Amino acid sequence: MSRTVGYVVGLLMILLGLIWIAQGSGYFPYPSSSFMINQSIWVLWGSIMAVAGIAVTVIISRLRRRG
C-alpha cells in the first residue's frame, strides 16, 4: 500500500514539474492570467520538482526489489 502511495506521489511530482516547466517557458499558457507564464524561475523550480519526483520513484522501486 505505501509503495503505491509512493509511486503516485512521485508521478504527481513529475507531472507537476513538467507543467511548471511548460508554463515557465511559455509552451503551456493556461490559464492566460497565470503569473508563471514566461518566467524562467518556474523552469528551474519545475526541473527541481521533476527530478525529485524521479528520485522518489527510483527509491520506491529499489525498496520494492529488496523487500
Side-chain angles (χ1 to χ4, degrees), residues 1-44:
M1 176 73 172
S2 65
R3 290 183 187 128
T4 304
V5 172
Y7 278 123
V8 169
V9 168
L11 292 175
L12 287 175
M13 289 173 70
I14 294 169
L15 180 65
L16 185 63
L18 292 175
I19 290 172
W20 287 358
I21 291 169
Q23 281 190 328
S25 60
Y27 288 117
F28 184 65
Y30 181 80
S32 59
S33 63
S34 176
F35 61 92
M36 295 171 63
I37 297 172
N38 290 327
Q39 300 292 321
S40 59
I41 190 68
W42 289 104
V43 175
L44 173 67

Side-chain angles (χ1 to χ4, degrees), residues 5-7 9-11 13 50-62:
V5 172
Y7 278 123
V9 168
L11 292 175
M13 289 173 70
V51 168
I54 291 169
V56 167
T57 306
V58 167
I59 289 169
I60 293 298
S61 132
R62 289 189 181 193

